[in-house]
């Protein structure tokens, strides 16, 4: 005899409970996946999209600054070219004037030699006159005629003395002209020195602009190279400037060295420091104070450098 075991079927409520439980699990899993996808997309947007937008904005600002710098460099280059042309013309004029003064000095020297010979002849004539006077003491009649000769010789001496005074006056005028020309040469040298300093600042600004572009592109090594080159250039310029302007350039060099300490960890901070130095150089060197100018003039006089007063004792090296 075979016995069958019948399994009881689940009721409708049990099946409905299972269905609702599975549906609830599916809904919870779907909500969890939706929340995860939402926060994941939001995190990816903050990590990848926002920095790219920020870098694009800074790159546009740097490109605009680069265009302004190129326009400024072009305008200043044109100005420097015009000033250099003017200096060359002034130098040629100065050279021609000096050549003319040399020729006039040669003529004056020849006249002085002729006058020295005439003075020697006059001295011999005076000796002869003294001899004639001794002869006149023994011969009264002959003395009268000799006195007439003496008066004529004295008149000649007076005329010669007037000629000597005129020659001395001409020599003094030539010396004053030479002093005026030397002062003009000194002013030309000072102008040339200021032009060289301005060109050095423009070169440093160009290097700093390239370094900021390299920092934006992530090329840290080239940016460090440009910053070091600009700092070396400004350090060399600092040694040629008076105390106040040298301190001004020294601050710029310190900021550049500080920007190098931020690399490669913080390129944005380094770029900000470089931009600050660029603005500092864009404003140009400060005016030299009266005390510094007086100290520089005193140092120039002690070392034999020509100043604005008096005859120069040495030729300055441009």
């Amino acid at each position: 005899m075979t016995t069958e075991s019948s399994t009881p079927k689940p009721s409708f409520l049990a099946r409905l409970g299972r269905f609702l439980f599975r549906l609830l699990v599916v809904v919870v899993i779907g909500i969890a996946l939706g929340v995860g996808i939402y926060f994941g997309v939001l995190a990816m947007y903050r990590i990848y999209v926002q920095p790219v937008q920020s870098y694009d904005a800074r790159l546009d600002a740097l490109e605009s600054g680069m265009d302004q710098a190129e326009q400024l460099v072009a305008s200043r280059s044109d100005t420097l070219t015009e000033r250099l042309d003017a200096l060359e013309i002034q130098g040629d004029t100065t050279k021609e004037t000096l050549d003319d003064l040399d020729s006039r000095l040669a003529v004056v020297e020849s006249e002085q030699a002729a006058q020295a010979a005439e003075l020697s002849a006059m001295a011999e004539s005076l000796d002869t006159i003294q001899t004639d006077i001794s002869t006149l003491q023994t011969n009264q009649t002959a003395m009268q005629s000799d006195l007439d000769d003496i008066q004529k010789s004295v008149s000649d001496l007076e005329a010669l003395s007037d000629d000597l005074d005129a020659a001395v006056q001409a020599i003094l005028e030539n010396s004053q002209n030479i002093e005026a020309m030397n002062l003009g040469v000194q002013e030309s040298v000072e102008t040339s020195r200021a032009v060289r300093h301005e060109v050095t600042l423009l070169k440093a600004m160009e290097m700093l602009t390239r370094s900021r572009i390299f920092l934006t592109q992530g090329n840290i090594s080239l940016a460090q190279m440009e910053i070091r080159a600009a700092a070396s250039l400004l350090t060399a310029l600092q040694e040629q400037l008076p105390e106040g302007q040298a301190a001004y350039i020294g601050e710029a060099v310190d900021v550049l060295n500080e920007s190098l300490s931020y690399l490669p960890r913080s390129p944005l901070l380094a770029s900000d420091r470089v931009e600050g130095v660029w603005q500092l150089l864009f404003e140009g060197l400060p005016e030299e104070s009266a005390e510094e100018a007086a100290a520089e003039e005193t140092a120039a006089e002690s070392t034999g450098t020509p100043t604005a007063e008096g005859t120069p004792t040495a030729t300055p090296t441009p």
Side-chain angles (χ1 to χ4, degrees):
M1 181 174 181
T2 304
T3 60
E4 281 176 51
S5 59
S6 61
T7 303
K9 295 183 178 180
S11 64
F12 175 77
L13 292 177
R15 290 197 302 269
L16 180 61
R18 291 176 184 175
F19 174 77
L20 292 176
F21 177 76
R22 292 176 181 174
L23 180 61
L24 180 61
V25 171
V26 170
V27 170
V28 170
I29 293 174
I31 291 174
L33 289 176
V35 171
I37 291 173
Y38 173 78
F39 285 104
V41 170
L42 184 60
M44 291 180 64
Y45 177 81
R46 291 178 179 175
I47 295 174
Y48 297 103
V49 177
Q50 286 184 348
V52 170
Q53 292 177 350
S54 176
Y55 283 130
D56 289 338
R58 293 178 68 87
L59 183 58
D60 293 337
L62 286 176
E63 288 177 353
S64 176
M66 184 64 182
D67 293 336
Q68 293 178 359
E70 289 178 354
Q71 294 176 1
L72 176 63
V73 169
S75 62
R76 290 200 173 184
S77 298
D78 295 337
T79 303
L80 291 175
T81 301
E82 294 176 358
R83 294 177 67 181
L84 287 175
D85 293 337
L87 287 175
E88 290 178 356
I89 295 173
Q90 185 176 1
D92 294 337
T93 305
T94 303
K95 183 178 180 181
E96 293 176 358
T97 306
L98 289 175
D99 293 338
D100 181 64
L101 288 176
D102 290 337
S103 62
R104 294 176 64 181
L105 283 175
V107 173
V108 170
E109 289 175 354
S110 63
E111 291 177 355
Q112 287 179 343
Q115 290 171 1
E118 291 177 358
L119 288 174
S120 178
M122 288 172 57
E124 295 177 357
S125 299
L126 288 174
D127 294 336
T128 304
I129 291 171
Q130 291 178 354
T131 304
D132 293 337
I133 290 175
S134 63
T135 304
L136 286 173
Q137 291 177 353
T138 59
N139 191 347
Q140 187 68 29
T141 303
M143 186 180 64
Q144 186 63 41
S145 61
D146 291 336
L147 286 175
D148 294 337
D149 295 334
I150 291 172
Q151 289 178 355
K152 183 179 179 181
S153 299
V154 170
S155 299
D156 295 335
L157 286 174
E158 291 177 352
L160 184 58
S161 178
D162 294 337
D163 294 336
L164 287 174
D165 291 337
V168 170
Q169 185 64 30
I171 292 173
L172 291 176
E173 292 178 355
N174 290 332
S175 299
Q176 293 175 355
N177 292 333
I178 292 174
E179 290 177 0
M181 292 306 302
N182 286 329
L183 291 178
V185 171
Q186 181 189 358
E187 292 177 357
S188 299
V189 171
E190 293 296 332
T191 304
S192 177
R193 185 182 297 114
V195 169
R196 289 200 305 273
H197 293 168
E198 190 170 357
V199 170
T200 302
L201 292 180
L202 289 176
K203 290 181 179 178
M205 291 171 63
E206 183 180 359
M207 294 176 182
L208 296 180
T209 301
R210 287 199 298 267
S211 68
R212 291 169 61 194
I213 294 175
F214 290 145
L215 287 175
T216 304
Q217 296 174 351
N219 198 336
I220 303 300
S221 60
L222 289 180
Q224 289 174 332
M225 185 183 302
E226 293 293 340
I227 293 173
R228 290 192 181 98
S232 300
L233 191 64
L234 293 176
T235 301
L237 175 63
Q238 183 181 6
E239 298 175 356
Q240 304 172 7
L241 297 175
E243 183 177 356
Q245 295 178 350
Y248 184 82
I249 295 299
E251 293 178 2
V253 174
D254 292 338
V255 176
L256 289 180
N257 292 330
E258 181 183 359
S259 67
L260 289 174
S261 66
Y262 291 129
L263 297 176
R265 297 187 307 276
S266 301
L268 292 179
L269 291 176
S271 179
D272 291 339
R273 296 299 186 275
V274 171
E275 183 177 0
V277 174
W278 192 94
Q279 292 294 336
L280 196 68
L281 298 180
F282 178 76
E283 293 176 0
L285 295 174
E287 294 294 336
E288 188 177 1
S289 63
E291 292 79 5
E292 293 176 351
E296 184 178 359
E297 183 177 356
T298 303
E301 292 177 354
S302 62
T303 55
T305 305
T307 59
E309 297 180 357
T311 303
T313 58
T315 301
T317 302

